[in-house]
Amino acid sequence: MKSLVSASLLGCDLADLKNEIKSIEQAGADWLHCDVMDGAFVDNISFGTPVLKCIKKYATVPMDTHLMIQYPIRYVDDYAKLGSDNITFHLEAADDPQAVIDRIHSHGISAGISIKPATPVSAVKPFLESVELVLVMTVDPGFGGQKFIPDTLSKISEIRYLLDSLGRNDTHIQVDGGVNDKTVKFCREAGADVMVSGSYVFGANDRNAAVKSLKI
Ligand code: DX5
Ligand code: ZN
């Protein structure tokens, strides 16, 4: 199966959200990736529930919510109730990651756990059997338009190996940050199957071609 593309709306014209959603869905985006930043876990503030509620009104593909916030358990219910189809939180931000996973699952939706580039695979290993998605950040979270960090690739391979040995072949490995038509090849080879892309797909003159180039 070809990889899926989760288009990061952080890279779109937020003043024209409704049309940007339509445009990127027509270009073939499989999911809409919504980056929630709190200015504490990361050095940037993006948007939160009011904006995601608007996104949900116009989205026709699954909403993939990426929480880059401290104490994510406080907000899981809000982001689930507004219609997230997947909620990914950061391992580094949670006191009790299993409790966050369970809370996400209590809403009947998919749970994702994410690690920053500096966080080792061993930290996420205990949770690999409980989640539907593992997000391996390929840049330090906080900003769009950064350069892909190649050192993260070995973590993707390692996680894919661990998932295979657990018989969890359906668990997604998502990559996020600096993904484009070149870096996507390395991600795919390493075992990632969901490509998040913001500046590359939204900045392309031909969005159809850009999205297609990530489906390898
Ligand atoms: C970064 C966000 C990303 C970001 C990706 O912290 O999690 O989703 O929008 O942007 P690009 O594709 O431009 O690296
Ligand atoms: Zn993201």
Side-chain angles (χ1 to χ4, degrees):
M1 195 165 135
K2 290 202 165 151
S3 47
L4 299 172
V5 174
S6 191
S8 168
L9 293 170
L10 195 64
C12 83
D13 178 358
L14 288 169
D16 195 18
L17 202 41
K18 184 178 167 184
N19 288 317
E20 290 285 69
I21 290 169
K22 203 169 160 193
S23 155
I24 211 67
E25 287 188 353
Q26 280 173 354
D30 300 289
W31 299 353
L32 294 177
H33 184 86
C34 303
D35 289 300
V36 178
M37 303 179 185
D38 65 352
F41 180 68
V42 291
D43 295 331
N44 196 11
I45 297 174
S46 57
F47 42 71
T49 51
V51 174
L52 269 76
K53 280 180 191 161
C54 295
I55 294 169
K56 189 65 188 178
K57 273 206 303 201
Y58 301 110
T60 66
V61 299
M63 181 187 250
D64 171 31
T65 299
H66 178 193
L67 298 180
M68 283 164 276
I69 62 174
Q70 294 283 20
Y71 309 113
I73 200 150
R74 283 185 303 179
Y75 294 102
V76 165
D77 294 349
D78 290 350
Y79 285 92
K81 283 183 194 151
L82 63 79
S84 299
D85 296 278
N86 172 72
I87 297 180
T88 297
F89 69 99
H90 272 266
L91 171 76
E92 305 88 353
D95 293 333
D96 182 353
Q98 190 61 49
V100 183
I101 296 166
D102 294 344
R103 183 71 74 93
I104 297 170
H105 283 158
S106 75
H107 292 276
I109 61 172
S110 153
I113 191 162
S114 180
I115 50 172
K116 295 200 231 183
T119 304
V121 170
S122 57
V124 80
K125 198 175 165 196
F127 308 103
L128 291 181
E129 277 191 284
S130 311
V131 294
E132 286 71 43
L133 182 148
V134 183
L135 167 53
V136 179
M137 288 303 299
T138 44
V139 298
D140 278 307
F143 298 88
Q146 301 183 76
K147 206 169 165 283
F148 184 84
I149 301 173
D151 281 356
T152 56
L153 289 167
S154 59
K155 295 202 297 181
I156 300 169
S157 317
E158 202 180 333
I159 292 169
R160 182 53 76 199
Y161 173 81
L162 290 170
L163 287 170
D164 284 348
S165 35
L166 291 166
R168 306 265 313 174
N169 312 64
D170 292 342
T171 304
H172 295 296
I173 299 183
Q174 185 176 68
V175 284
D176 184 5
V179 177
N180 56 36
D181 56 341
K182 307 205 170 44
T183 54
V184 71
K185 298 191 177 72
F186 307 122
C187 297
R188 187 64 178 160
E189 270 167 29
D193 68 314
V194 184
M195 313 301 173
V196 175
S197 176
S199 49
Y200 173 66
V201 293
F202 281 106
N205 290 327
D206 183 345
R207 290 179 174 179
N208 286 59
V211 171
K212 205 170 167 201
S213 74
L214 300 181
K215 296 193 182 194
I216 58 170

PDB file of all heavy atoms in Angstrom, residues 16 19 28 32-33 44 48-49 81 113 120-121 154 174-175 177 208 213:
ATOM      1  N   ASP A  16      -7.798  31.900   4.746  1.00  0.00           N
ATOM      2  CA  ASP A  16      -8.613  31.331   3.668  1.00  0.00           C
ATOM      3  C   ASP A  16      -8.798  29.824   3.900  1.00  0.00           C
ATOM      4  O   ASP A  16      -8.791  29.030   2.958  1.00  0.00           O
ATOM      5  CB  ASP A  16      -7.898  31.599   2.326  1.00  0.00           C
ATOM      6  CG  ASP A  16      -8.804  31.379   1.128  1.00  0.00           C
ATOM      7  OD1 ASP A  16     -10.037  31.362   1.302  1.00  0.00           O
ATOM      8  OD2 ASP A  16      -8.264  31.182   0.020  1.00  0.00           O
ATOM      9  N   ASN A  19     -11.203  27.430   1.784  1.00  0.00           N
ATOM     10  CA  ASN A  19     -10.752  27.118   0.420  1.00  0.00           C
ATOM     11  C   ASN A  19      -9.469  26.304   0.408  1.00  0.00           C
ATOM     12  O   ASN A  19      -9.261  25.474  -0.473  1.00  0.00           O
ATOM     13  CB  ASN A  19     -10.551  28.407  -0.388  1.00  0.00           C
ATOM     14  CG  ASN A  19     -11.885  29.036  -0.723  1.00  0.00           C
ATOM     15  OD1 ASN A  19     -12.822  28.349  -1.108  1.00  0.00           O
ATOM     16  ND2 ASN A  19     -11.986  30.341  -0.528  1.00  0.00           N
ATOM     17  N   GLY A  28      -5.582  15.599  -3.216  1.00  0.00           N
ATOM     18  CA  GLY A  28      -5.375  14.198  -2.846  1.00  0.00           C
ATOM     19  C   GLY A  28      -4.925  13.951  -1.416  1.00  0.00           C
ATOM     20  O   GLY A  28      -4.572  12.815  -1.072  1.00  0.00           O
ATOM     21  N   LEU A  32      -6.148  15.613   7.283  1.00  0.00           N
ATOM     22  CA  LEU A  32      -5.780  17.002   7.572  1.00  0.00           C
ATOM     23  C   LEU A  32      -5.083  17.045   8.927  1.00  0.00           C
ATOM     24  O   LEU A  32      -5.670  16.667   9.954  1.00  0.00           O
ATOM     25  CB  LEU A  32      -7.027  17.896   7.599  1.00  0.00           C
ATOM     26  CG  LEU A  32      -7.768  18.055   6.267  1.00  0.00           C
ATOM     27  CD1 LEU A  32      -9.029  18.899   6.472  1.00  0.00           C
ATOM     28  CD2 LEU A  32      -6.877  18.669   5.191  1.00  0.00           C
ATOM     29  N   HIS A  33      -3.829  17.489   8.921  1.00  0.00           N
ATOM     30  CA  HIS A  33      -3.010  17.501  10.123  1.00  0.00           C
ATOM     31  C   HIS A  33      -3.122  18.874  10.792  1.00  0.00           C
ATOM     32  O   HIS A  33      -2.846  19.899  10.165  1.00  0.00           O
ATOM     33  CB  HIS A  33      -1.564  17.199   9.705  1.00  0.00           C
ATOM     34  CG  HIS A  33      -0.588  17.078  10.816  1.00  0.00           C
ATOM     35  ND1 HIS A  33      -0.366  15.901  11.500  1.00  0.00           N
ATOM     36  CD2 HIS A  33       0.275  17.986  11.345  1.00  0.00           C
ATOM     37  CE1 HIS A  33       0.593  16.087  12.394  1.00  0.00           C
ATOM     38  NE2 HIS A  33       0.998  17.342  12.329  1.00  0.00           N
ATOM     39  N   ASN A  44       6.213  28.261  20.357  1.00  0.00           N
ATOM     40  CA  ASN A  44       5.344  28.889  19.378  1.00  0.00           C
ATOM     41  C   ASN A  44       3.899  28.631  19.797  1.00  0.00           C
ATOM     42  O   ASN A  44       3.617  27.640  20.471  1.00  0.00           O
ATOM     43  CB  ASN A  44       5.609  28.271  17.992  1.00  0.00           C
ATOM     44  CG  ASN A  44       5.063  29.094  16.849  1.00  0.00           C
ATOM     45  OD1 ASN A  44       4.643  30.240  17.046  1.00  0.00           O
ATOM     46  ND2 ASN A  44       5.048  28.525  15.657  1.00  0.00           N
ATOM     47  N   GLY A  48      -6.070  26.628  18.410  1.00  0.00           N
ATOM     48  CA  GLY A  48      -6.659  25.628  19.295  1.00  0.00           C
ATOM     49  C   GLY A  48      -8.082  25.278  18.911  1.00  0.00           C
ATOM     50  O   GLY A  48      -8.434  25.299  17.725  1.00  0.00           O
ATOM     51  N   THR A  49      -8.907  25.004  19.917  1.00  0.00           N
ATOM     52  CA  THR A  49     -10.249  24.456  19.636  1.00  0.00           C
ATOM     53  C   THR A  49     -11.129  25.322  18.716  1.00  0.00           C
ATOM     54  O   THR A  49     -11.801  24.752  17.856  1.00  0.00           O
ATOM     55  CB  THR A  49     -11.014  24.152  20.946  1.00  0.00           C
ATOM     56  OG1 THR A  49     -10.975  25.294  21.786  1.00  0.00           O
ATOM     57  CG2 THR A  49     -10.408  22.967  21.674  1.00  0.00           C
ATOM     58  N   LYS A  81     -14.003  15.626  21.282  1.00  0.00           N
ATOM     59  CA  LYS A  81     -15.414  16.012  21.080  1.00  0.00           C
ATOM     60  C   LYS A  81     -15.612  16.893  19.856  1.00  0.00           C
ATOM     61  O   LYS A  81     -16.670  16.877  19.238  1.00  0.00           O
ATOM     62  CB  LYS A  81     -15.955  16.721  22.323  1.00  0.00           C
ATOM     63  CG  LYS A  81     -16.277  15.728  23.441  1.00  0.00           C
ATOM     64  CD  LYS A  81     -16.879  16.434  24.636  1.00  0.00           C
ATOM     65  CE  LYS A  81     -16.873  15.509  25.847  1.00  0.00           C
ATOM     66  NZ  LYS A  81     -16.784  16.258  27.118  1.00  0.00           N
ATOM     67  N   ILE A 113       1.271   8.535  19.525  1.00  0.00           N
ATOM     68  CA  ILE A 113       2.267   9.032  20.480  1.00  0.00           C
ATOM     69  C   ILE A 113       3.463   9.536  19.681  1.00  0.00           C
ATOM     70  O   ILE A 113       3.848   8.916  18.686  1.00  0.00           O
ATOM     71  CB  ILE A 113       2.659   7.933  21.497  1.00  0.00           C
ATOM     72  CG1 ILE A 113       3.477   8.506  22.652  1.00  0.00           C
ATOM     73  CG2 ILE A 113       3.410   6.769  20.848  1.00  0.00           C
ATOM     74  CD1 ILE A 113       3.519   7.583  23.879  1.00  0.00           C
ATOM     75  N   PRO A 120      14.922   8.962  22.591  1.00  0.00           N
ATOM     76  CA  PRO A 120      15.249   7.637  22.045  1.00  0.00           C
ATOM     77  C   PRO A 120      14.024   6.730  21.913  1.00  0.00           C
ATOM     78  O   PRO A 120      13.020   6.921  22.599  1.00  0.00           O
ATOM     79  CB  PRO A 120      16.209   7.061  23.094  1.00  0.00           C
ATOM     80  CG  PRO A 120      15.846   7.741  24.366  1.00  0.00           C
ATOM     81  CD  PRO A 120      15.346   9.108  23.992  1.00  0.00           C
ATOM     82  N   VAL A 121      14.165   5.732  21.061  1.00  0.00           N
ATOM     83  CA  VAL A 121      13.089   4.761  20.840  1.00  0.00           C
ATOM     84  C   VAL A 121      12.738   4.030  22.134  1.00  0.00           C
ATOM     85  O   VAL A 121      11.561   3.724  22.388  1.00  0.00           O
ATOM     86  CB  VAL A 121      13.493   3.761  19.728  1.00  0.00           C
ATOM     87  CG1 VAL A 121      12.519   2.604  19.641  1.00  0.00           C
ATOM     88  CG2 VAL A 121      13.600   4.482  18.385  1.00  0.00           C
ATOM     89  N   SER A 154      16.980   6.341  11.521  1.00  0.00           N
ATOM     90  CA  SER A 154      17.267   5.052  12.167  1.00  0.00           C
ATOM     91  C   SER A 154      16.214   4.743  13.240  1.00  0.00           C
ATOM     92  O   SER A 154      15.916   3.578  13.519  1.00  0.00           O
ATOM     93  CB  SER A 154      18.669   5.055  12.764  1.00  0.00           C
ATOM     94  OG  SER A 154      18.776   6.094  13.699  1.00  0.00           O
ATOM     95  N   GLN A 174       4.236   7.753  11.435  1.00  0.00           N
ATOM     96  CA  GLN A 174       4.083   9.047  10.777  1.00  0.00           C
ATOM     97  C   GLN A 174       5.375   9.840  10.932  1.00  0.00           C
ATOM     98  O   GLN A 174       6.031   9.752  11.969  1.00  0.00           O
ATOM     99  CB  GLN A 174       2.918   9.791  11.444  1.00  0.00           C
ATOM    100  CG  GLN A 174       2.537  11.110  10.803  1.00  0.00           C
ATOM    101  CD  GLN A 174       1.315  11.716  11.487  1.00  0.00           C
ATOM    102  OE1 GLN A 174       1.384  12.135  12.643  1.00  0.00           O
ATOM    103  NE2 GLN A 174       0.200  11.777  10.788  1.00  0.00           N
ATOM    104  N   VAL A 175       5.713  10.600   9.901  1.00  0.00           N
ATOM    105  CA  VAL A 175       6.858  11.512   9.986  1.00  0.00           C
ATOM    106  C   VAL A 175       6.356  12.931   9.769  1.00  0.00           C
ATOM    107  O   VAL A 175       5.400  13.161   9.020  1.00  0.00           O
ATOM    108  CB  VAL A 175       7.967  11.173   8.953  1.00  0.00           C
ATOM    109  CG1 VAL A 175       8.760   9.968   9.398  1.00  0.00           C
ATOM    110  CG2 VAL A 175       7.405  10.965   7.553  1.00  0.00           C
ATOM    111  N   GLY A 177       7.867  17.047   9.490  1.00  0.00           N
ATOM    112  CA  GLY A 177       8.905  18.063   9.517  1.00  0.00           C
ATOM    113  C   GLY A 177       9.895  17.906   8.378  1.00  0.00           C
ATOM    114  O   GLY A 177      10.605  16.902   8.306  1.00  0.00           O
ATOM    115  N   ASN A 208      -1.431  19.173  -6.655  1.00  0.00           N
ATOM    116  CA  ASN A 208      -1.729  17.767  -7.015  1.00  0.00           C
ATOM    117  C   ASN A 208      -0.438  16.976  -7.167  1.00  0.00           C
ATOM    118  O   ASN A 208      -0.297  15.888  -6.625  1.00  0.00           O
ATOM    119  CB  ASN A 208      -2.489  17.685  -8.338  1.00  0.00           C
ATOM    120  CG  ASN A 208      -3.919  18.114  -8.197  1.00  0.00           C
ATOM    121  OD1 ASN A 208      -4.177  19.250  -7.786  1.00  0.00           O
ATOM    122  ND2 ASN A 208      -4.840  17.224  -8.489  1.00  0.00           N
ATOM    123  N   SER A 213       3.602  13.200  -5.203  1.00  0.00           N
ATOM    124  CA  SER A 213       5.017  12.837  -5.055  1.00  0.00           C
ATOM    125  C   SER A 213       5.322  12.252  -3.667  1.00  0.00           C
ATOM    126  O   SER A 213       6.373  11.647  -3.464  1.00  0.00           O
ATOM    127  CB  SER A 213       5.915  14.049  -5.316  1.00  0.00           C
ATOM    128  OG  SER A 213       5.856  14.945  -4.217  1.00  0.00           O
TER     129      SER A 213
END
